[in-house]
Amino acid sequence: MKLSLRMETVKNTVVPCKTLCDVGCDHGFVSIALVEDGTAKKVIACDINKGPLAAASDNIKAAGLSDSIETRLSDGLHKVTKEDRPDAIVIAGMGGALTVKILTEGREVLKTVSQLVLQPQSELFLVRKWLRNEGYNISKECFLYDMGKPYFVIDARPGEPTPHTDEENAFFDEFSEYLLKDKNPLYREYLKKGIENNETYLKGMPAEKRGELIKKTELMRKALLMTE
Ligand SMILES: C[S@@+](CC[C@H](N)C(=O)[O-])C[C@H]1O[C@@H](n2cnc3c(N)ncnc32)[C@H](O)[C@@H]1O
């Protein structure tokens, strides 16, 4: 089983743990890889849909890991209990708003969790904001391209986030404090390309509609400067 670079990055971000919940496990490839390489002793592979869960179950059986990976039909963390005592959670490949909904509704279960590995496909700012407000630190963030598409993988741990003004918080929620301070070269190129694209759009836009995009592009320029 060959994982995509995105899934491989998600897997490699997880630190050794006893019980991991893979929420929205789909095919179960990440769950399987995490047990196979010894990172997770046990995995609860959850999905809201029966089809993906059946596929995960077949893949888990084929890998001979039915004793270590349990599949569970669950909307988010609803069917995971405090008694399961997960110490790590993976939520990958879902939108930022859905990721936040799953975390919010699963708050009780998160009490035993020491690592959240999150790979939202959109609205990253919602996830970073939730983490900051709920007392999590982003200890690492990876930025990568897989098949030409950009992805962010967040490693969050319980802890007090660095204090900032509201304005700074909003800026870092949008542009990632970790990636900017890390001066990530790939992320720098991503920002540069985004600015160039916006400049092209702006040229073709009626003047009265440009305000929002001009503001956003100025913030992107500020972010780009921080990566120098
Ligand atoms: C795009 S796939 C991502 C699969 C895998 N996590 C990955 O990163 O490759 C999203 C999966 O999440 C499941 N899903 C969507 N909403 C969910 C929810 N509220 N709770 C659990 N699973 C959900 C879908 O059924 C689907 O299998």
Side-chain angles (χ1 to χ4, degrees):
M1 184 184 68
K2 175 98 177 84
L3 293 183
S4 66
L5 180 61
R6 175 187 67 82
M7 288 192 273
E8 184 76 26
T9 308
V10 168
K11 180 194 77 86
N12 289 341
T13 304
V14 179
V15 296
C17 55
K18 282 191 189 140
T19 303
L20 178 137
C21 281
D22 182 5
V23 184
C25 65
D26 199 357
H27 32 62
F29 291 161
V30 171
S31 300
I32 292 169
L34 280 165
V35 171
E36 272 181 344
D37 77 357
T39 303
K41 287 208 161 62
K42 183 184 160 195
V43 171
I44 304 170
C46 304
D47 207 285
I48 195 172
N49 290 308
K50 285 182 183 162
L53 209 60
S57 194
D58 288 346
N59 291 331
I60 293 161
K61 267 186 213 134
L65 294 175
S66 302
D67 287 348
S68 320
I69 309 176
E70 179 196 335
T71 54
R72 217 176 270 187
L73 193 65
S74 176
D75 175 359
L77 289 160
H78 283 281
K79 291 281 154 59
V80 179
T81 67
K82 280 191 284 181
E83 286 66 40
D84 288 312
R85 299 190 66 78
D87 51 350
I89 305 268
V90 167
I91 307 176
M94 289 186 229
L98 179 55
T99 303
V100 163
K101 181 174 180 282
I102 291 170
L103 291 167
T104 305
E105 292 175 0
R107 258 199 206 109
E108 265 313 291
V109 177
L110 297 186
K111 286 181 179 160
T112 53
V113 170
S114 52
Q115 186 186 29
L116 297 172
V117 175
L118 310 172
Q119 184 265 301
Q121 305 273 50
S122 59
E123 297 180 303
L124 271 286
F125 70 97
L126 290 179
V127 176
R128 296 191 189 105
K129 182 177 174 191
W130 186 92
L131 291 168
R132 177 167 58 70
N133 287 333
E134 298 288 324
Y136 289 88
N137 244 322
I138 296 181
S139 66
K140 194 177 150 204
E141 197 165 328
C142 293
F143 177 75
L144 68 135
Y145 282 97
D146 191 351
M147 310 277 281
K149 279 178 72 181
Y151 294 103
F152 298 80
V153 180
I154 295 173
D155 177 349
R157 316 287 178 103
E160 278 311 304
T162 317
H164 291 300
T165 63
D166 289 351
E167 195 185 336
E168 286 167 341
N169 276 331
F171 179 77
F172 287 135
D173 289 344
E174 185 68 43
F175 294 105
S176 171
E177 182 171 16
Y178 184 92
L179 290 173
L180 294 180
K181 293 197 168 162
D182 197 37
K183 303 191 185 296
N184 183 294
L186 210 55
Y187 186 51
R188 181 183 156 68
E189 286 313 306
Y190 168 79
L191 287 171
K192 250 187 178 173
K193 190 91 201 113
I195 293 167
E196 283 166 20
N197 287 343
N198 287 0
E199 282 166 348
T200 309
Y201 290 139
L202 281 166
K203 277 185 200 148
M205 255 184 178
E208 67 277 11
K209 291 199 171 154
R210 287 182 198 159
E212 269 304 298
L213 196 57
I214 288 175
K215 257 193 243 160
K216 172 103 200 263
T217 311
E218 272 164 14
L219 288 173
M220 286 166 82
R221 283 202 192 89
K222 181 178 158 187
L224 182 66
L225 272 178
M226 291 181 72
T227 65
E228 282 176 356

